[in-house]
Amino acid sequence: MDITGKIIAALESRSGTSKANGNPWKIQEFVLETVGEQYPKKMMFSIFGEDKIQQAAINVGDVVTVSFDINAREFNGRWYNDIRAWRVSHDTALAAPAQAAQDAPAASFQAAPAADPFAATSSNDDLPF
């Protein structure tokens, strides 16, 4: 599955050592907000592995497309969803218009004065009444 959006938060990475074979591991979670929708949605996803975290090079404010897998797991009688990214591509084409819209100053305009319907009219009025 794929989703495109802007990274709004990068959570602290966590690391440790696996109990089974003693190998070190690292995981980092990010929050993405969809762009171009009337009602943007937020999704938290994780990247597992120090090399994959560095390869993704995600910063807050980046517009990215995330390819991910969803898996559920049970722990102490409760179920939890795990959204794990397996590819992250930076979308520079989407980032440029979004950034330009944020950087552009608000358009200012001066409205034309409205015509007063009760103003005195000329004496050559052709209305029949």
Side-chain angles (χ1 to χ4, degrees):
M1 300 177 84
D2 295 338
I3 190 167
T4 300
K6 181 178 179 179
I7 301 296
I8 60 171
L11 304 169
E12 289 292 321
S13 61
R14 296 176 298 173
S15 58
T17 306
S18 67
K19 291 180 184 178
N21 53 14
N23 290 335
W25 57 267
K26 187 173 186 178
I27 190 168
Q28 187 168 9
E29 296 171 321
F30 300 90
V31 180
L32 173 141
E33 183 176 53
T34 57
V35 292
E37 295 182 5
Q38 183 177 3
Y39 302 107
K41 295 177 180 45
K42 295 178 178 82
M43 179 186 83
M44 185 177 72
F45 65 93
S46 61
I47 299 177
F48 188 80
E50 186 171 5
D51 57 333
K52 290 179 179 56
I53 294 169
Q54 290 176 354
Q55 183 181 13
I58 298 174
N59 296 308
V60 173
D62 290 351
V63 177
V64 297
T65 297
V66 178
S67 301
F68 60 93
D69 290 325
I70 300 174
N71 193 19
R73 58 186 167 75
E74 186 265 335
F75 180 72
N76 289 337
R78 296 199 59 187
W79 286 88
Y80 300 90
N81 288 320
D82 183 28
I83 301 174
R84 183 83 43 100
W86 51 272
R87 180 177 59 206
V88 176
S89 13
H90 292 262
D91 290 339
T92 55
L94 289 175
Q99 187 63 34
Q102 288 178 350
D103 293 343
S108 62
F109 64 92
Q110 187 170 7
D116 185 4
F118 301 109
T121 58
S122 68
S123 60
N124 297 341
D125 197 354
D126 295 330
L127 293 176
F129 52 90

